[in-house]
Amino acid sequence: SELTFEQKMEKLEALIKMESGDNSLDDSVKLYQEGISLAKECHEELQKAEKTIINLKTENGLEDFNE
């Protein structure tokens, strides 16, 4: 099943902690690869969410709305 954004971030945080442990070079590289993949997925999800928000603001005449 697909992980949620929050689950991916939690997994990424756990991987970062594991990378700083006493792993073999091979294990460290695998952890790094998994971390990069998760980071990319999270970045893409954030970009998609940002586009959705911008589109909603534009469609509703709120493009100049500042919080």
Side-chain angles (χ1 to χ4, degrees), residues 3 12 16 22 26 28 39 63 65:
L3 296 175
L12 188 55
I16 290 168
D22 295 325
D26 190 46
S28 292
E63 59 271 358
F65 181 76

Side-chain angles (χ1 to χ4, degrees), residues 21-33:
D22 295 325
N23 300 306
S24 68
L25 178 60
D26 190 46
D27 286 343
S28 292
V29 170
K30 287 178 184 174
L31 290 170
Y32 183 78
Q33 287 175 321

Side-chain angles (χ1 to χ4, degrees), residues 2-6 8-9 12 37-55:
E2 182 77 16
L3 296 175
T4 65
F5 175 81
E6 291 79 9
K8 289 177 187 175
M9 289 298 294
L12 188 55
S37 178
L38 282 169
K40 181 182 177 198
E41 288 178 31
C42 289
H43 180 72
E44 288 170 355
E45 285 188 47
L46 285 172
Q47 284 185 316
K48 184 178 175 183
E50 183 179 28
K51 279 184 180 179
T52 300
I53 291 169
I54 290 169
N55 287 340

Side-chain angles (χ1 to χ4, degrees), residues 7-18 38:
Q7 290 169 326
K8 289 177 187 175
M9 289 298 294
E10 287 176 11
K11 191 171 183 179
L12 188 55
E13 288 175 13
L15 283 172
I16 290 168
K17 290 176 185 172
M18 289 170 53
L38 282 169

